[in-house]
Each structure stands twice: as structure tokens, then as C-alpha cells.
Amino acid sequence: MHRLRPGSPRRHHAGLPPEPVRPHPLPQSRTARALSTCSSEAVLPQLVRKLEILGIGRPVVGIVIPSGFSFNLDGSAVYLTTASLFLAQAMGIDLSWQQQLVMVGVMMLTSKGTAGIAGGAFIVLASTVTAVGHIPLAALSLIVGIDRILNEGRVFINVLGNAVATIVIGKWENDFDTEQARKVLHSRTTPPQAGSDTTKVGADK
């Protein structure tokens, strides 16, 4: 008997269990490459191509993605603000709410234009802490050992945030093909239909 294709209804009639639906592999290889290199710019060409395949217009993708990787680094902004407040608490420095607001605002501004290389946000953190003056520079030794792990987290957020922002801008500009996106996602997550199965049960005995 020929092997039945996955997802065919004849598997049910033949008494075979249905094969599980595989998750959508679109972002997996891109995020894995970003995490392994700790650089959000390493996946920029592949991310642009995948978003165009998803149904977003090339003008929108060509503008939002390059500018987003320079001025919309969500992961770096979250890292800089939380790391600065953590260092203040770890050093026993009591910051007033005005100082906290100033530090958070400065960190969010300095996160714009952060280089998309491994450890780029840590350099920005060191320079900003020195400029603000509330936290001693020696406090950075508390997190320099785990910066590689923190870098993986902020790179993932950077890539995911820019991808979501591109989809939002595409829908806003009416340059997002919803049917194409559904077709791509459906073809990636759904097994082949019964119409494509030409195997006859019991043909070979």
C-alpha cells in the first residue's frame, strides 16, 4: 500500500492518526539567527524579503524596516531604562521620581540610533550613565557578565517590534494584502488538502 500523505482524510478511514500541524516557520529562522549573532541587523535582508512575501508592499517595507532598526529599537529602550534603574537600586542610590523620569527619558532618547551590533546598547548605557551622573560608572560591572544574555533578549524584541510595526504601517497605508497573508500563513500551517491526494487506498496489495 502506498504511503498516505499527511492531512489526507483517507488516513482517518485507514485507521491512522492525523499528523500534528507544524507551527508556522516564518519567523523561526530569522529570530534564531538574530539570537545567535546578537545583532538585529544580521536578519535585515531576510526579514525584508519575508515581509514582502507576507503581503506588505515593497515601499512600506523598504522604509519602515531600515528606519526601524535605527530609530525603533524597542528592546534597547527597555534594556537601557530597566538596567539604569536596577543599577541605582543595586548601589543603594535613592532617586527621586523627578530623577527617575529624567533618567528614563534620557535613556529612551539615547536608544534611538543605537548600533545594531553585539554589545552596542551596553556602550550607550555606559556613556549615558556617565553623562547623567546619578549612577557611578563602576556599577556597570554588576551586569557586564550577563550582558550577552540580556543582549539576546533585546535583539529578539527589536526584530519582533519592527516586524509588527511594518504590518501596522502597511495596514495603515492600505498597502497590506490580507488575503496574501492568510494564504501564506495557511499554506505554512495547514497540511495538504484532500484534493491533492491521488493515492488510492489498497492499490498495491
Side-chain angles (χ1 to χ4, degrees), residues 34-181:
L35 293 177
S36 61
T37 59
C38 287
S39 175
S40 56
E41 293 184 357
V43 299
L44 193 148
Q46 295 84 3
L47 184 62
V48 168
R49 182 170 59 87
K50 288 296 183 180
L51 290 175
E52 290 178 356
I53 295 175
L54 192 62
I56 306 174
R58 178 170 296 181
V60 174
V61 177
I63 293 176
V64 176
I65 289 297
S67 60
F69 276 104
S70 298
F71 303 105
N72 186 38
L73 299 177
D74 301 333
S76 298
V78 172
Y79 165 76
L80 292 176
T81 53
T82 54
S84 59
L85 295 179
F86 167 77
L87 292 176
Q89 292 182 350
M91 296 298 294
I93 301 175
D94 188 12
L95 298 176
S96 63
W97 65 270
Q98 294 93 342
Q99 292 176 325
Q100 294 182 19
L101 289 179
V102 169
M103 182 170 293
V104 170
V106 171
M107 291 298 179
M108 291 182 64
L109 290 176
T110 53
S111 66
K112 311 303 179 183
T114 304
I117 59 176
F122 186 81
I123 303 300
V124 174
L125 177 63
S127 60
T128 307
V129 165
T130 305
V132 174
H134 298 323
I135 304 172
L137 184 61
L140 293 175
S141 60
L142 297 175
I143 61 174
V144 67
I146 60 172
D147 183 69
R148 177 77 179 188
I149 301 176
L150 299 177
N151 198 5
E152 293 180 356
R154 60 178 178 259
V155 165
F156 177 78
I157 298 176
N158 289 338
V159 174
L160 184 60
N162 286 310
V164 173
T166 305
I167 296 175
V168 172
I169 297 298
K171 291 182 68 67
W172 189 9
E173 295 294 331
N174 294 324
D175 200 4
F176 179 64
D177 192 350
T178 307
E179 294 299 326
Q180 173 68 17

